[in-house]
Amino acid sequence: MDKINIKILAKELNLSTSTISRAFNGSSDINKDTKERILSIAREHSFLPNHYASNLRDKKTKTLAVIVPEIANDFFAQAINGIEEVARKHGFYILLYRTDDIFEKEVSFVNYLNNGKADGIIMSVSGEGNDHQYLNNLRQKNIPVVFFDRVYEDIEAATVTTNDYDSSFAATEHLLKSGCRKIAYLVVNKSISIGKTRMQGYVDALAKHKVPFNDELVIDCSNDEKVNTKILTKVLQEIKPDGIFSSVERLAFATYHVCNTLGVSIPNQLKVISFSSLNIAPLLSPALSTITQPAFEMGVKAATLFFEALENKDTNFPKRQHVLKSKLFIRKSAE
Amino acid sequence: MDKINIKILAKELNLSTSTISRAFNGSSDINKDTKERILSIAREHSFLPNHYASNLRDKKTKTLAVIVPEIANDFFAQAINGIEEVARKHGFYILLYRTDDIFEKEVSFVNYLNNGKADGIIMSVSGEGNDHQYLNNLRQKNIPVVFFDRVYEDIEAATVTTNDYDSSFAATEHLLKSGCRKIAYLVVNKSISIGKTRMQGYVDALAKHKVPFNDELVIDCSNDEKVNTKILTKVLQEIKPDGIFSSVERLAFATYHVCNTLGVSIPNQLKVISFSSLNIAPLLSPALSTITQPAFEMGVKAATLFFEALENKDTNFPKRQHVLKSKLFIRKSAE
DNA sequence: TTGTAGGCGTTATCAA
DNA sequence: TTGATAACGCCTACAA
């Protein structure tokens, strides 16, 4: 109720607003006692300098925007944790936004940020759209952008990714060595860079083992669970693959569900490996074989790159490409 | 780069700043053509009014702070999704903060918000500390607070919870009816209100079935996985319960792991039911029996209450207590 | 329908 | 060490 600000505090203490301000900004130009006095009274009023006013002056928001396709997903949740950890150390806070993989949402949020709402952006892109110039606007305003996991190749920015190609190659090769000859590749959006890279590993592993690539085995799924169930049911019934390599955790779960329904036995009739950051993959029935990305570390790295960019504001925009390593865990589902 | 603001735009268009401002605020007091002209030029410059300046004037941030103990957790992730969904409809954005169940972090963030950083707070509390008056400071500034799932009872605020007592009672009763006589109750923090409520359901179900309550069977776990593994190993080896009722998902997973290690068979030797929002609970080995809270809906409800509070600013602070229903799913782990 | 002007709360600069 | 003042960018009475 009783409005409080630096001015009122100043009057109350018989000081000037500048002195009050200094008390809050670690300025050395202030008498220790005065400072104490100010802070103690401020505490009584539970007063803190208004951020919007400070930001308006300083053009610093101490806020980092994080944009992800989904939140209820182990990979992203862990990555966000990593980002938050680093942000916190720098006294930054996280403005979180979820795109649901919808391009328009991504564009609208990025544009919204384009006005001093955040000091930077860490994002995993929706993967849609062709023209991503809206991201370059940010550059003009010195708002660093860091991509993680999912990247736009037409935008120059720091990136944090994993060795997707290698992992995919290794996973596919494992399936081949285990005897699979008809391996389906599950993907959500073929056009997205990450889907392409992972698929290339799959394709090349097939080639190495002289198993012909079959376009029919590339299953383009959707974001809708029910649709996926239908698609996968059809695949398992009609195409009858003997192996599944899923580029997305969600699709592996869907596969499990469909197998349960159809009575397809994993790994006997169908071996499954999936990209997944699920901690409890070993507890599934059967234990899911995974390519596990270092989600938390990726978040940490992305945030670190962001803060580096922030500090070098005048120099060039950072274009560091950071690649972390995923791990392949072969469990029951692919034995 | 080339700085841009309402003034510069005004000069460029030979208009006044007020006219420019009006173009962005759906004001009716503006010529349609003028507006078009302004917006089109603005778009060229990818200009949007600076939020910090607007906020400074309006005292509205269009930002909603969300405070949760953890992010990488299905319950909270889904709840955040629900909150975000509603927030978005109101043109609000989410400032996310994670407390790691550490009281000091909670206090420090809440205090940080106490200065016009957000228009309101939706939180699931850390559950520590005795004095939560720092939350009342917010009330004075008309920053509505909504608790969800985890609540401080000494603070008046709108709350969204689930029928924890009933669910716990039902789950315990199920275990009893299935023949369990030595049911361990797993909890992370006994003092937290939610832990108490859930425990009461457990206690009362025991009483109803004339099974004596045994303090030794209340297992107070930690936030550290390794510690929990140790604790649970000891419990399974020494106390040898025949049922587990876990108030927290995480502890159920830990139980599974320990059972795998020790070769304890679920559900033959040990039946397990847990609070959990895990979508793939049926895919676990064995399928986990859960009390599933409507996480997404809770988020939606919490956000809805928040916006109601926001609109009734002058009237009384809302103290609505909303209770949603959880569902008990008995699966293989408790059959 | 458009313009003028003052102020939102803070801080940096300069002067005392 | 402290104080006065201008400025950050925007919005809204009020005036024209």
Side-chain angles (χ1 to χ4, degrees), chain A residues 1 49 51-52 55 63 81 84-85 88 93-94 96 98 105 109 112 115-117 140 283 285, chain B residues 1 48-49 51-52 55 63 81 84-85 88 93-94 96 98 105 109 112 115-117 140 283 285:
Chain A
M1 300 298 110
H51 262 265
Y52 285 92
N55 292 159
T63 300
N81 269 346
E84 216 250 3
E85 189 101 350
R88 182 178 308 209
Y93 293 91
I94 300 294
L96 182 66
R98 175 183 109 233
K105 290 193 185 173
F109 189 62
Y112 166 77
N115 58 359
K117 184 75 189 182
Q140 283 176 24
L283 297 184
S285 167
Chain B
M1 308 285 107
L48 279 180
H51 261 266
Y52 285 92
N55 291 160
T63 300
N81 269 347
E84 217 249 4
E85 188 102 350
R88 181 178 308 206
Y93 293 91
I94 301 293
L96 182 67
R98 176 183 109 234
K105 290 192 185 173
F109 189 63
Y112 166 77
N115 58 359
K117 184 76 189 181
Q140 284 174 23
L283 297 184
S285 168

Side-chain angles (χ1 to χ4, degrees), chain B residues 25-235:
Chain B
N25 293 307
S27 167
S28 52
D29 294 354
I30 188 173
N31 184 296
K32 230 185 173 182
D33 295 341
T34 323
K35 185 168 172 178
E36 291 282 302
R37 206 153 54 91
I38 293 172
L39 292 182
S40 105
I41 295 278
R43 221 169 299 130
E44 264 175 45
H45 291 272
S46 70
F47 167 83
L48 279 180
N50 179 299
H51 261 266
Y52 285 92
S54 319
N55 291 160
L56 180 56
R57 269 209 54 116
D58 298 358
K59 319 296 207 82
K60 297 221 163 116
T61 68
K62 293 260 177 191
T63 300
L64 170 55
V66 175
I67 307 181
V68 291
E70 12 176 2
I71 299 169
N73 166 298
D74 290 271
F75 174 74
F76 290 115
Q78 288 171 38
I80 294 170
N81 269 347
I83 293 170
E84 217 249 4
E85 188 102 350
V86 177
R88 181 178 308 206
K89 281 187 192 141
H90 288 258
F92 269 61
Y93 293 91
I94 301 293
L95 192 69
L96 182 67
Y97 191 79
R98 176 183 109 234
T99 65
D100 290 319
D101 271 321
I102 294 170
F103 184 60
E104 286 71 29
K105 290 192 185 173
E106 179 176 302
V107 176
S108 111
F109 189 63
V110 168
N111 285 334
Y112 166 77
L113 291 173
N114 210 342
N115 58 359
K117 184 76 189 181
D119 292 342
I121 303 184
I122 295 183
M123 70 190 294
S124 200
V125 309
S126 74
E128 311 277 336
N130 300 310
D131 180 13
H132 307 120
Q133 287 314 306
Y134 57 99
L135 279 166
N136 277 330
N137 294 334
L138 299 169
R139 181 103 56 78
Q140 284 174 23
K141 308 217 173 158
N142 272 318
I143 300 180
V145 177
V146 179
F147 291 132
F148 74 99
D149 197 47
R150 304 198 197 172
V151 167
Y152 285 137
E153 281 151 353
D154 59 337
I155 298 291
E156 268 182 26
T159 64
V160 178
T161 52
T162 47
N163 56 339
D164 283 324
Y165 175 83
D166 297 342
S167 310
S168 298
F169 189 94
T172 309
E173 191 161 42
H174 173 86
L175 291 173
L176 290 165
K177 285 184 177 164
S178 308
C180 297
R181 281 298 167 273
K182 213 170 166 184
I183 303 171
Y185 173 67
L186 309 188
V187 63
V188 169
N189 190 326
K190 269 199 270 189
S191 75
I192 212 175
S193 66
I194 215 168
K196 277 191 273 184
T197 314
R198 291 176 180 180
M199 179 154 153
Q200 198 56 50
Y202 160 83
V203 169
D204 290 358
L206 289 181
K208 176 178 169 194
H209 290 262
K210 310 223 169 13
V211 173
F213 170 76
N214 178 353
D215 199 42
E216 204 188 42
L217 285 168
V218 175
I219 316 296
D220 209 343
C221 299
S222 94
N223 282 314
D224 182 310
E225 294 238 2
K226 281 179 193 162
V227 176
N228 288 336
T229 303
K230 264 190 209 156
I231 294 174
L232 290 171
T233 303
K234 204 172 162 201
V235 167

Side-chain angles (χ1 to χ4, degrees), chain A residues 175-183 206 209 211-212 217 242-243:
Chain A
L175 290 173
L176 290 165
K177 284 185 179 163
S178 308
C180 298
R181 281 298 166 273
K182 214 169 164 184
I183 303 170
L206 290 180
H209 290 263
V211 174
L217 285 169
D242 54 10

